[in-house]
Amino acid sequence: MKNCMPRTPFSTPLSGSARETELRIRNIMSGPKKRPPVLFLALVFSVCIFCGNLVSCQVAEAEGNPPETPDTSASVSVPPDTSQPEGPAWTPVELDAGMMKYVGQTGDWFYENYFPTEKEMALLENLPGDELPRETVEVYKALRRDYWRDALLPVAYDQGADVTAYFVFNPDSLPDVEPLVAVPTWASEQQRGIVLRHGDRTAYFHLYWGGNDHFGSNPTLLVDDLDGDGQPEAALVLTDGWGTGVYAQSLYIFDLDTMTCTVPDFSDVPLEITASPGGKTARLSSGEREWKVDLTQLAEPFNGAVEVGNVVHFQKKDGGMICSLHLDFSCATLEYLASAHFPVIYADGVYKLGPAVWMGDLL
């Protein structure tokens, strides 16, 4: 079978003559005779030059002129520098708690000339507990018949624990009047202390209650397990000081098993006070509590000290005792701008003040 190959510019038949074959090979090797288009070459050359300029300009801008918008990736990965202080520090304020050491100690000086006589002590040491009156009598309207043998007046009573506190008098100091005639405590000038009764047991304590006499107020009595030993104790609040800018109470805690008295140690007040750099604000800190006081209310510039102990109140709350202290920012019993409430706690073998449970302004 005879194959016919098409004749194309890209085919070279080898069956022809040698001359024809040679001419064809030379023609292929020499390429086309036409010149490439001049306009096309110029266009390609211009594009190459323009692209080169773009690359060189971009490099120059990166090296010579940094971008206006900074790279924020570093601020995320690197923590801020906190070594520099934010501002002037607050300065510590002196807390003068010297008056707190007198809480519960006033009887030492006031009663030195008012001890019971031997005759009176003979009665007080042999009291028939089961015969004594139990329930409280309001001191401002007590009648002659309310005084047991003209010597004892029941002023505080806890029915659940069967505990009664009595004011003690010199029997000869009460006026000789009929049983239904009012004889309030201030009608007697011979205060002798208190008697505590628990069941049929009694004990005498040489304690001062002149403030209750002055204001015609009954003392506060709380009976509860105050030291966590599983047995109840009795806490008695007596008023022992008053005057201009002064009203002080004392707290006494009695062990009902031994019928002995303990005076808590309130000399350490768990309160820290600092003042702002400009001296216009004070910050109170105690435990988890914090409060700020506006010092611009003071009549005189703040002198950097605060006093406590001239106004001391005790109150029952949730089976315990709370001590309320007014803070005098003038140290002259004149400018009480704030108050703080501290629970009375038992720790390390003593009764003392715990961290504040409340703070606030007085004005």
Side-chain angles (χ1 to χ4, degrees):
M1 181 175 181
K2 183 178 180 181
N3 295 327
C4 296
M5 300 295 294
R7 296 181 62 85
T8 69
F10 301 103
S11 62
T12 302
L14 300 179
S15 58
S17 63
R19 178 62 180 171
E20 183 180 2
T21 300
E22 179 182 358
L23 290 177
R24 276 193 164 278
I25 291 175
R26 286 179 179 274
N27 189 44
I28 292 173
M29 296 299 295
S30 62
K33 299 302 181 179
K34 297 182 179 180
R35 295 180 180 179
V38 177
L39 293 178
F40 176 75
L41 291 178
L43 178 62
V44 171
F45 183 71
S46 299
V47 170
C48 292
I49 293 177
F50 179 73
C51 292
N53 289 338
L54 290 178
V55 173
S56 63
C57 291
Q58 181 67 28
V59 172
E61 180 181 2
E63 293 178 354
N65 298 315
E68 295 181 1
T69 303
D71 182 7
T72 58
S73 60
S75 63
V76 175
S77 59
V78 179
D81 183 10
T82 58
S83 60
Q84 297 296 327
E86 296 181 356
W90 289 47
T91 58
V93 172
E94 177 189 357
L95 179 63
D96 183 0
M99 294 299 294
M100 294 298 293
K101 65 184 178 182
Y102 296 110
V103 175
Q105 306 296 332
T106 54
D108 295 341
W109 57 268
F110 187 85
Y111 270 136
E112 60 183 357
N113 296 324
Y114 293 92
F115 282 97
T117 63
E118 292 184 6
K119 178 182 178 180
E120 293 168 4
M121 283 303 301
L123 174 64
L124 296 174
E125 292 176 352
N126 297 280
L127 292 171
D130 56 344
E131 298 179 8
L132 298 180
R134 261 58 173 171
E135 296 185 4
T136 301
V137 174
E138 297 296 332
V139 297
Y140 66 91
K141 59 180 181 181
L143 306 177
R144 172 74 181 276
R145 69 179 184 182
D146 296 326
Y147 291 80
W148 183 82
R149 297 189 183 181
D150 291 343
L152 302 181
L153 181 68
V155 292
Y157 177 54
D158 186 290
Q159 183 177 6
D162 191 22
V163 174
T164 304
Y166 306 84
F167 285 166
V168 180
F169 301 83
N170 176 2
D172 298 331
S173 67
L174 263 68
D176 186 12
V177 296
E178 296 297 324
L180 296 180
V181 174
V183 184
T185 57
W186 48 262
S188 172
E189 298 179 357
Q190 298 294 327
Q191 306 164 16
R192 290 295 196 247
I194 73 160
V195 162
L196 190 73
R197 181 198 59 80
H198 179 215
D200 59 356
R201 303 172 59 203
T202 64
Y204 168 77
F205 300 94
H206 194 64
L207 301 177
Y208 174 70
W209 48 269
N212 298 88
D213 173 34
H214 178 80
F215 293 101
S217 62
N218 289 65
T220 299
L221 175 66
L222 169 67
V223 181
D224 210 316
D225 183 9
L226 302 177
D227 61 3
D229 65 350
Q231 299 296 324
E233 289 77 35
L236 186 68
V237 180
L238 299 174
T239 302
D240 52 28
W242 65 93
T244 303
V246 175
Y247 184 85
Q249 294 179 328
S250 288
L251 177 66
Y252 305 93
I253 299 178
F254 303 88
D255 187 319
L256 297 178
D257 291 332
T258 61
M259 297 299 280
T260 56
C261 179
T262 297
V263 178
D265 181 8
F266 295 143
S267 59
D268 183 17
V269 179
L271 177 65
E272 294 183 358
I273 308 177
T274 54
S276 62
K280 295 183 179 181
T281 305
R283 180 167 54 204
L284 314 180
S285 300
S286 180
E288 298 180 355
R289 302 284 175 175
E290 192 170 279
W291 189 259
K292 290 185 178 181
V293 179
D294 180 11
L295 297 180
T296 61
Q297 303 173 84
L298 295 172
E300 300 292 337
F302 181 57
N303 61 8
V306 176
E307 186 178 61
V308 293
N310 288 312
V311 178
V312 183
H313 295 267
F314 292 95
Q315 56 185 322
K316 296 188 294 185
K317 184 176 182 180
D318 300 330
M321 278 289 179
I322 298 294
C323 177
S324 173
L325 300 180
H326 289 193
L327 280 67
D328 179 15
F329 284 79
S330 68
C331 293
T333 65
L334 294 176
E335 297 184 274
Y336 298 100
L337 300 184
S339 176
H341 295 180
F342 304 90
V344 178
I345 64 174
Y346 186 81
D348 303 325
V350 297
Y351 292 98
K352 58 183 180 180
L353 298 179
V357 295
W358 181 88
M359 294 179 179
D361 292 338
L362 290 182
L363 301 180

